[in-house]
Structures are given as C-alpha cells and as structure tokens.
Amino acid sequence: MTMTTKPAPAAAAGAPPTAGFLDRVLKVRELAIAAVLVLMLTATQLDNSAFLSQQGIKDLLLNATILVLVAVGQATVVITRNVDLSVGSVLGITAFAAGDFLHGGGNPVLAVVIAVAIGAGFGLVNGALVSLGQVPALVVTLGTLYIIRGLDSIWVGSRQITAADLPSGFVSFGHDGLSVIPYLALLTALVLVAAAYYLRSYRSGRDLYALGSSPEAARLAGVPVRKRILAAYVTCGALAGLAGALYLARFGNVDSGTGNGYELTVVSAVVVGGVAFTGGSGSVYGAALGALLLTSINSVLPSIGVSSVWVQAIDGVLLLLAIAVDRIVALRVAGLLRKRAAQTRSATHG
Amino acid sequence: MTDPAPERTPVLALEGVSKSFGAVRALRDVSLELYAGEAHALAGENGAGKSTLIKTLAGVHRPDAGTVLLDGTPVVFHGPADARDAGVAVIYQEPTLFPDLSIAENIFVGRQPRRSFGRVDHKAVREATAALFRRLGVDLDPEQPARGLSIADQQLVEIAKALSFDARVLIMDEPTAALTGSEVARLFGVVRALREAGAAVLFISHRLEEVFALCQRVTTLRDGAWVASEPVAGLGEDDLVRRMVGRDLDELYPKQDAAVGDVALRVRRLTREGVFTDVSFEVRHGEIVGLAGLVGAGRSEVARAVFGVDRWDAGAAEVDGRPLKPGAPSLAMAAGLALVPEDRRAQGLVMDMSIERNINLTGLRTTARAGLMNRGAERSRALDWAVRLQVKYARLADMVGTLSGGNQQKVVLAKWLATDPRVLIVDEPTRGIDVGTKAEVHRLLSQLAADGVAVLMISSDLPEILGMADRVLVMHEGRLTADIPRERATEETVMAAATGRARSAA
Ligand SMILES: Nc1ncnc2c1ncn2[C@@H]1O[C@H](COP(=O)(O)OP(=O)(O)OP(=O)(O)O)[C@@H](O)[C@H]1O
Ligand SMILES: [Mg+2]
C-alpha cells in the first residue's frame, strides 16, 4: 500500500497554496489566542518592566493552573454538546474535604486522591442525570451546582481551613517549583497533554467529538452515547476535584464560599479558547489557552495601572469577540472548502 | 409461503415482525429472508414501512412482536452496534454524518484501525478512505470535513462507510436517490462484486429499473403488511407497481402542451468562484426546463445562487424583468420565485415542527391578518396541499420528523407550491417519492406550466428529465455545456454533454 495517498497530493498539486493555508486556518483558533496572549504580555512588559520578573512569571503560571485544569475538564464535556455548571461547587467542596482530611493529620497524597474521588463521584451523578434523564445539561448541572453548594454550606458551616492547619510540605508544594515553573503548573501541563493526546488518539476520545457533532448519527454509528457522556462528566468532575486539592495547596485558605461563581469563568475560558458550545469542535489546548488568557488579564490590568473593576467587562468583551471570530472563521473556511472541492473535482476529472 | 430453496439458511431474516409508533402500525406481521449471494429488493409506496423494517434489522428499532434471525437462530439487537458486530452494514435513507469530523473519520467512527496501545492510526484511516473512494470512483478529499457536502456526496460517503467493513449483509435504503446514472453504475458494480463474494444484499429504490438491474428477489409491502416475495425474473414493472399500489398506474410522465410565453427567468453570465462559471439561460412562462448533469456539476449551486441562498460573484439574474440581488432570498420570493431545495432535512423542513406549520412557513404573509397568525386559514391551506400531494399522515399536527422520507419530500413540495410562484425551481423534486405519487407530482408540474408558471427542474433521474422537460440544459464541471430541445433530447445526447464528451451547442 505505497500509493494509497495519491489522490490528495495530486489535488494539492492542482491548487498549491490552498491546502496548506486551509489547514492553518482550521487551526488558527489556537494560534489566534496564543498571538493575543503573547501580544498582551509583551505590551505589558514594555510598559512595566517588572511585570515578567521571575516572580511575575511564576505568579502568572500559578494563577492559571487551577483554571486550566477545570477548563480542560469542562472542554471535554462541552465537546460532547453538554456543559457542567457544577464545577465551582465541586472545587469548593473537594478543597474543603482535602483540607479537613489534612487537618486531621492525613497523608497529603491521599488527600489529593480523596479530592479527585469526590469530584469524580459528583461527575458520575451529573453524567448519570444528563445521559439517562433526557434533561438538558444546563438545567441538570445548574441543579447540582446549588445542591453541592448547599451540602457544602451545611457541612462546613462557618468553619475555615487555613494554611496553618496544613502540613508544611503540602503548602510548599503549592508554592515552589523548578526555577520559574511551579510544580502545580507542571502537573497541570501533564494532565493537559494527556487529555489532548487521549482525545486525539483514542477511539473513545474521537467518539466524544462524534457525538457532540451529531448525537443522532452517533447513535446510528453504534457509539455508546451514554457511556461516553458519563465518562466525560466523570473526567470533568475528577479534574475539578484535583483543582480543588491544588487550590488548597496554593491558597491554603478554604471556606464554604470557595469556588463560588467559578463556573462562569471556566465556561468563558473554554469558549474563548474556541471550543464550540454546539459541540464537536475545539481542543483542550484551546481551552487551556483561553484560561491562560483570562487569568493573564487579571494580572495585566493592575500592573499597567488599570483598576481591576474593569476585569469582568473585559472578560465579557473577549467572550463576544471570540464568538464573532469563530463565526467569521467558519464562513471563511466554508468558502475555502468549496473552492478546494471544486478544484479536487476538476483536477481528477480533467 | 412456498420456499423455493428450502436447504439454505438465510443469513438474516425477520419472522412475523410487527412494529407500531403510537397509533401508526408501521409493520404488521412481516417476514423476510436474506440469503448469501442474493440481492433482495424491498418495494412499497411511501410510508409502507420499508425504512422501519430496515431499522428493525439494524437494531435501531426493537420489534413489538416477532423475531430477528441470524443464521437461523433468534437474536436480539440491543442497538446498532450489535447489528454491526454481527456483520450487518446499513445505509440509512437520510445521510447521518458528523459535520465537524473529516470524511475519513466519518467513515471509520468507532472502528478506526489502531496501532500500538490502542491508539487510532490516523494515517491508515485516511489511506483506507482513499482506497474506498478509488474503488467507488469518488473524488472527495478524505481530509475535508463533512459539513456542507451535497446530498449526493453525503450519500457517497454513506456508501463508502457501508462498504468499509466486510459486511455479510449489506442493507441500502434508497442509496441512489440523489445519484446520476454513472455513479449508480459504479455502485452497482461494487455491490455485484460483493454479492458474488457471498454477501446478502437488501436494496430499496423507487426507481424500479434499478430494482430490476440489481436484484434477484423482491418483497413488496403495502401499508405495513407483507404482500409478496418472489423472484424478479419474469416480473414486469407493471406487476411490481400493481403489488405496491394495488391498482394499475396512470402514465408516469403526463406531459401537457402549454403555450410558451415571455421570458420569466433570465440568468446571464452567472459565476460563483470555484463552483460554476459563466452560466446563462432563460426559462419562459409555460415552459419546463430540465437541468441535467453529473453529481457535482454545479446544478443545485446555480439554483441556490439564483434564489439568493448563496451569493454569486458576477453576472445577473432577473424574474420578469425585475433584477434579483445576490444573497437576498426574500427579494426573490417577493419577485415570485420559489425553490424546492434538495436537502429536505437541512434546508427544506423544520423537523420538529408540525406538518401544518411547515407548510405554512412560506405563507405567513398570505394567511396572517393584521400581523396575527390565522390558524383557520393556515389549517385549510395545509390540508389542501397535503391532500393534493397525497401526504400520508395521521394528523396534521404530527411532527414532520416522524413522517417517512417520501412523505417529508411531499411536505417540502407542498410548502413551496402553496406560494403560487411565477417561477418555480425544483431540485430533485421526486427524491424518495414512490412511483404513484411521482406521476402525481409530474402532473402537478405539468399543470403549473400550463397555467403559465416557468419551471426549472433539476433531477438526477434522467428518464424524469426526458419525460417532462421541453428543453434540457446540461452542466459539466460548473459550465453549461448543452441546451437540447425536447425532440433531440435522448439519453445519449444528454449523457454525452454531461460527461463532457460532446460540446453540442444547440
Ligand atoms: N419515529 C416515528 N414515529 C412515528 N411514526 C413513525 C416513525 N417512523 C416511522 N413512522 C411511521 O411509520 C410509517 C412507515 O414509515 P417508513 O419510514 O418505514 O416508510 P417507508 O416505506 O420507508 O417510506 P418512504 O418510501 O417514504 O421512505 C409511516 O406512516 C411513518 O409516518
Ligand atoms: Mg423510507
């Protein structure tokens, strides 16, 4: 089978620039965010040369890690044309659970495992409700958002975990790193790469895209739809749990309000990162970049002397901008595809 | 039931199967046997239950009563995956692709070739797709996303998907409905080879000549009930029609003479970059003009551009002397243009709205009073057209999505015919419509022309074009290559122009 790929190159030869350009346009979503990010950081650095100091870079990465983790999980769910709004509540309750366990003298590794397990458990509940109940994910997870938050308040009450309650090793894990790169960022990068590789290279990962793109076609193609949706939610919950444990390590301070409203930031990050709400497209890398962009804005504004009250408005503008860009890119891609199809045809017929 | 070959065990069979949807009894005590090395046709009118039967074999529907037999033993398919694992490949009536995935991924979803550690071998997926396309003579790029493919291309992808695994049973629900002669010939070549290699084939088509060309046996259904199973040899088209309809049929192409009037639609040097180039033609009042060509020649694209769904880059179009604007369908509608699109699911209908609402989407202006919807007027308008086109439905308030494929097509026709157009463009008007209603649709088009409507008919069914058109325009690779008057239009002249073999200037 040495000559199997013949037709494609032949077609490309008929239209040299289009093929390569098209591929780039299709990936441009990630590139565009990366470009905006670099531009923004460079501009800030020029304005305030202390911005990208060692500590500055470290802070930037530390701030981003937790959001990136949750965004990766959220992206997995959004790719299947669903959403998980309960991630903020899950993050809060798992952070407290891990803290409570450590406060009682528990093993730090075990504490992380517990947080992940609790998160996965909530993910399982969400996934089961969404995949069995035929109820829109938005409604189901809005419900679990409040339920979990309620459980959290009842359980935690007015208690609080502070860094003093935690083993020093755990706290330093949350702050230290290899030169400028925090351990937390390394761990997050590992999760990110693994998730991206899984989604790209495994049948079950491809199934998530398929069922997000067309649930009906997925059912007819024999994709185990319920199982896959369940798996996506469990992943999302587990990552929210992991993020909860890391939150504890990073901030050392957890109460019943931790993670309140976090879901909206996460969803923004995912959408800004080019994961379409209509399912079936986008990547976790995009979501991670979106998260990085949003958290960077939080750091950039104060260091160029803009009041942080602007942050939310700017986040919103970015969100709308991202959607507009998606629309434009989609139209342009459609045009290019059309031309390329015509060229392929005449190349083979002619 | 007399069985001529009692020794063989059918690979796949249905025994006494019934299936109801609410009050609709889609299948009633139907039996069917598929043998290795035999192509079996399934015939019946729209709504007879053919697709329901196929979905029962494919594990999509569970029968209410009766059994599915695999190699003579009863099995229960819990879902499409079970049927697939048993070696049953299915092409459904409506293409069901993943718009965001590449064509190659669409074909191999859930069954991708794998390399070490269970990872998907993306290169192998691409290569296998390219190989399939070569076998079928399809020139699509495997890397291209499926979004925006024409119905015919979607159908070709579905065919490639079904052929991609070594199926023991190949089931095809109207795979050829949007294909032209040469693609059909290619498909039949591949299917015959599979059949000779021992596959069992179940084939549905409303083009009866295809049934006779491909199949050895035929089973007929009427209103969900089994009518007959018999060898095709010795059977005539008339016999088959009588089994399906229960009566003899009128003429299939009842062409009336009409007085040809002024130019109604004039298209001059219309160009859409990369799609079609320099297309000029006229359609006069009272005239039916056929637009023929191979799949991908750009016929539907011209229609969509004229109607304003797609923009055009150069040229002009006018209706009764009134110029149309690129990308303005509402202007085109106001000028008296109507377009029956080819893709009924994506462009023609709102699947989860009722039949009544769908038909009236085009008529809000005529039925509404003082800006308010008038339910009574809507109802009678919808009822009128549903009856004229013989739509088979339980209640007008039923969702269009629950109708059979052919009946959905009739609703699309009704929706546009009800606008009283001056110029009517129909794209595959009878795709998936049974012979009986086909004659009715042809009679309607003919009547419209006689009343002075200008009709532009795109069809991949050549006999339909030859039977109905006063003039045949032929497109080849985005250009108009011939304009053939009715007297000289034959299969040969049209095909020669469609394949670019002859540039016959008329
Ligand atoms: N999901 C459903 N819900 C309700 N009714 C249905 C459903 N699917 C099919 N039906 C009904 O069952 C009957 C048989 O439909 P089916 O699609 O099997 O017809 P068909 O023979 O394939 O017709 P066609 O030639 O038009 O494709 C029709 O009356 C249809 O309205
Ligand atoms: Mg059908």
Side-chain angles (χ1 to χ4, degrees):
Chain A
M1 297 269 271
T2 43
M3 44 168 289
T4 31
T5 48
K6 263 282 159 48
T18 355
F21 177 63
L22 176 67
D23 295 339
R24 248 174 293 142
V25 169
L26 287 173
K27 293 196 185 103
V28 86
R29 210 50 188 70
E30 280 87 356
L31 285 181
I33 318 161
V36 171
L37 188 63
V38 169
L39 211 72
M40 189 179 76
L41 295 183
T42 320
T44 314
Q45 173 67 8
L46 291 180
D47 185 69
N48 173 359
S49 59
F51 178 62
L52 287 182
S53 63
Q54 275 227 344
Q55 191 56 42
I57 294 178
K58 207 167 159 180
D59 283 344
L60 215 57
L61 290 174
L62 270 179
N63 290 341
T65 48
I66 289 157
L67 188 60
V68 168
L69 265 188
V70 187
V72 166
Q74 186 72 257
T76 323
V77 170
V78 173
I79 283 170
T80 68
R81 204 184 275 193
N82 286 294
V83 68
D84 185 352
L85 292 181
S86 71
V87 286
S89 306
V90 171
L91 183 139
I93 203 168
T94 51
F96 192 88
D100 198 42
F101 179 72
L102 287 173
H103 180 53
N107 175 310
V109 177
L110 203 56
V112 175
V113 171
I114 287 174
V116 171
I118 295 176
F122 284 125
L124 196 68
V125 174
N126 278 327
L129 289 174
V130 169
S131 60
L132 297 178
Q134 305 287 320
V135 186
L138 198 76
V139 180
V140 168
T141 57
L142 190 63
T144 49
L145 179 162
Y146 287 118
I147 293 172
I148 298 170
R149 180 63 61 197
L151 290 177
D152 197 15
S153 306
I154 295 165
W155 178 42
V156 176
S158 59
R159 285 189 291 162
Q160 207 181 40
I161 303 278
T162 59
D165 302 324
L166 303 173
S168 60
F170 190 70
V171 175
S172 61
F173 169 73
H175 289 263
D176 299 345
L178 296 173
S179 88
V180 293
I181 305 183
Y183 293 128
L184 296 192
L186 285 175
L187 186 59
T188 302
L190 207 68
V191 170
L192 173 64
V193 171
Y197 194 76
Y198 171 77
L199 283 175
R200 161 131 193 84
S201 300
Y202 283 84
R203 281 184 184 173
S204 40
R206 301 314 299 166
D207 283 354
L208 295 185
Y209 281 93
L211 77 88
S213 190
S214 169
E216 192 198 340
R219 205 172 54 84
L220 291 179
V223 171
V225 174
R226 285 181 181 165
K227 208 166 118 189
R228 295 287 180 263
I229 290 181
L230 207 62
Y233 272 99
V234 170
T235 309
C236 183
L239 289 181
L242 180 61
L246 299 194
Y247 183 99
L248 179 72
R250 159 109 171 87
F251 297 104
N253 205 323
V254 179
D255 59 24
S256 66
T258 301
N260 227 341
Y262 204 61
E263 54 283 338
L264 297 184
T265 318
V266 174
V267 168
S268 314
V270 167
V271 173
V272 167
V275 182
F277 243 77
T278 42
S281 66
S283 72
V284 287
Y285 285 126
L289 279 168
L292 203 56
L293 185 64
L294 289 191
T295 45
S296 301
I297 291 173
N298 288 334
S299 320
V300 162
L301 292 183
S303 65
I304 57 172
V306 176
S307 156
S308 60
V309 295
W310 283 93
V311 168
Q312 291 201 330
I314 289 177
D315 284 359
V317 169
L318 263 182
L319 195 69
L320 295 182
L321 214 63
I323 292 164
V325 166
D326 275 350
R327 190 73 204 124
I328 293 164
V329 168
L331 287 177
R332 301 232 17 204
V333 167
L336 281 172
L337 283 176
R338 207 174 65 223
K339 276 176 203 162
R340 194 151 73 133
Q343 274 153 346
T344 314
R345 273 231 155 79
S346 45
T348 27
H349 277 313
Chain B
M1 266 214 316
T2 54
D3 202 339
E7 310 306 333
R8 295 183 299 164
T9 325
V11 189
L12 192 63
L14 291 179
E15 225 175 61
V17 163
S18 300
K19 175 81 193 171
S20 300
F21 299 100
V24 180
R25 300 182 67 190
L27 290 177
R28 285 181 281 169
D29 194 21
V30 173
S31 299
L32 177 84
E33 292 172 341
L34 301 179
Y35 293 98
E38 191 178 80
H40 198 123
L42 194 56
E45 291 181 285
N46 295 134
K50 303 181 298 298
S51 299
T52 308
L53 183 144
I54 276 185
K55 287 183 178 161
T56 312
L57 285 174
V60 178
H61 293 325
R62 205 87 72 74
D64 299 336
T67 42
V68 181
L69 303 169
L70 184 68
D71 293 318
T73 35
V75 283
V76 177
F77 291 143
H78 292 280
D82 285 356
R84 184 187 71 198
D85 295 342
V88 181
V90 186
I91 300 173
Y92 297 99
Q93 185 169 13
E94 307 296 341
T96 43
L97 299 180
F98 304 104
D100 299 292
L101 303 192
S102 73
I103 290 178
E105 277 206 281
N106 260 287
I107 289 176
F108 285 98
V109 90
R111 307 176 287 116
Q112 297 95 335
R114 288 189 284 192
R115 42 196 189 125
S116 52
F117 305 110
R119 292 170 299 160
V120 171
D121 189 342
H122 290 287
K123 187 155 163 271
V125 170
R126 272 199 305 277
E127 286 174 357
T129 306
L132 275 170
F133 281 172
R134 264 199 309 283
R135 203 165 131 209
L136 278 169
V138 173
D139 41 24
L140 288 170
D141 177 3
E143 296 265 30
Q144 180 192 345
R147 189 183 298 285
L149 288 181
S150 72
I151 280 284
D153 284 341
Q154 291 182 36
Q155 229 150 19
L156 290 169
V157 173
E158 289 287 352
I159 290 170
K161 193 197 286 184
L163 298 180
S164 69
F165 49 108
D166 298 316
R168 301 174 59 215
V169 183
L170 176 61
I171 299 180
M172 302 184 284
D173 195 349
E174 300 192 29
T176 56
L179 303 186
T180 58
S182 35
E183 292 98 14
V184 173
R186 228 22 207 261
L187 169 68
F188 282 10
V190 175
V191 171
R192 278 195 199 102
L194 284 177
R195 180 173 66 73
E196 274 151 26
V201 176
L202 181 62
F203 177 75
I204 296 181
S205 174
H206 288 295
R207 298 181 187 168
L208 299 186
E209 71 274 11
E210 291 179 355
V211 168
F212 287 93
L214 185 72
C215 300
Q216 285 80 53
R217 288 183 74 78
V218 54
T219 293
T220 313
L221 299 179
R222 195 190 306 153
D223 287 333
W226 181 91
V227 176
S229 274
E230 59 212 315
V232 166
L235 207 64
E237 284 204 15
D238 294 344
D239 303 320
L240 191 52
V241 168
R242 212 171 302 123
R243 303 249 195 300
M244 285 164 56
V245 189
R247 61 181 162 85
D248 283 316
L249 206 63
D250 318 330
E251 203 186 348
L252 188 52
Y253 304 113
K255 177 110 180 84
Q256 306 179 12
D257 283 324
V260 174
D262 292 340
V263 173
L265 172 68
R266 174 176 280 134
V267 172
R268 262 191 319 237
R269 314 210 60 172
L270 208 64
T271 298
R272 178 163 160 86
E273 213 182 314
V275 183
F276 53 84
T277 315
D278 202 6
V279 172
S280 305
F281 62 89
E282 292 172 354
V283 185
R284 293 171 173 275
H285 283 292
E287 201 180 28
I288 301 182
V289 173
L291 184 51
L294 298 182
V295 166
R299 297 164 299 164
S300 306
E301 288 77 1
V302 170
R304 287 166 55 87
V306 170
F307 189 66
V309 185
D310 296 336
R311 308 194 137 262
W312 67 72
D313 299 321
E318 54 184 48
V319 170
D320 288 327
R322 274 212 270 168
L324 301 177
K325 280 212 198 85
S330 52
L331 191 78
M333 275 178 75
L337 196 64
L339 168 70
V340 176
E342 61 160 354
D343 188 345
R344 53 181 171 244
R345 282 179 87 83
Q347 298 154 13
L349 296 170
V350 185
M351 297 311 278
D352 44 17
M353 265 197 202
S354 71
I355 302 169
E356 185 186 328
R357 305 276 20 214
N358 265 287
I359 293 180
N360 281 308
L361 281 176
T362 51
L364 288 175
R365 231 176 260 173
T366 47
T367 53
R369 258 194 255 126
L372 294 176
M373 286 171 21
N374 178 348
R375 292 302 299 269
E378 287 204 347
R379 170 150 309 219
S380 64
R381 184 171 182 265
L383 191 62
D384 178 27
W385 281 98
V387 170
R388 280 174 83 174
L389 286 164
Q390 304 170 7
V391 180
K392 192 181 164 215
Y393 60 91
R395 288 173 311 147
L396 272 182
D398 287 344
M399 280 201 307
V400 158
T402 66
L403 291 181
S404 80
N407 283 305
Q408 292 176 10
Q409 184 66 28
K410 295 176 201 168
V411 176
V412 185
L413 278 171
K415 172 178 160 188
W416 287 104
L417 293 183
T419 59
D420 253 334
R422 306 163 59 77
V423 178
L424 177 66
I425 306 180
V426 285
D427 196 351
E428 304 286 355
T430 57
R431 182 166 77 89
I433 286 189
D434 64 44
V435 274
T437 319
K438 220 181 232 179
E440 184 57 30
V441 170
H442 292 152
R443 217 183 45 67
L444 252 164
L445 289 178
S446 202
Q447 180 64 48
L448 284 172
D451 293 346
V453 176
V455 180
L456 179 65
M457 179 171 74
I458 301 172
S459 174
S460 45
D461 192 4
L462 198 48
E464 179 170 87
I465 294 251
L466 297 177
M468 294 306 299
D470 294 301
R471 217 148 43 83
V472 184
L473 304 172
V474 189
M475 283 187 77
H476 172 63
E477 287 178 9
R479 287 174 187 276
L480 216 53
T481 51
D483 184 342
I484 311 171
R486 183 174 176 84
E487 310 80 67
R488 289 201 287 117
T490 62
E491 205 153 312
E492 288 73 40
T493 52
V494 174
M495 279 320 283
T499 50
R501 271 183 284 132
R503 305 235 157 196
S504 75

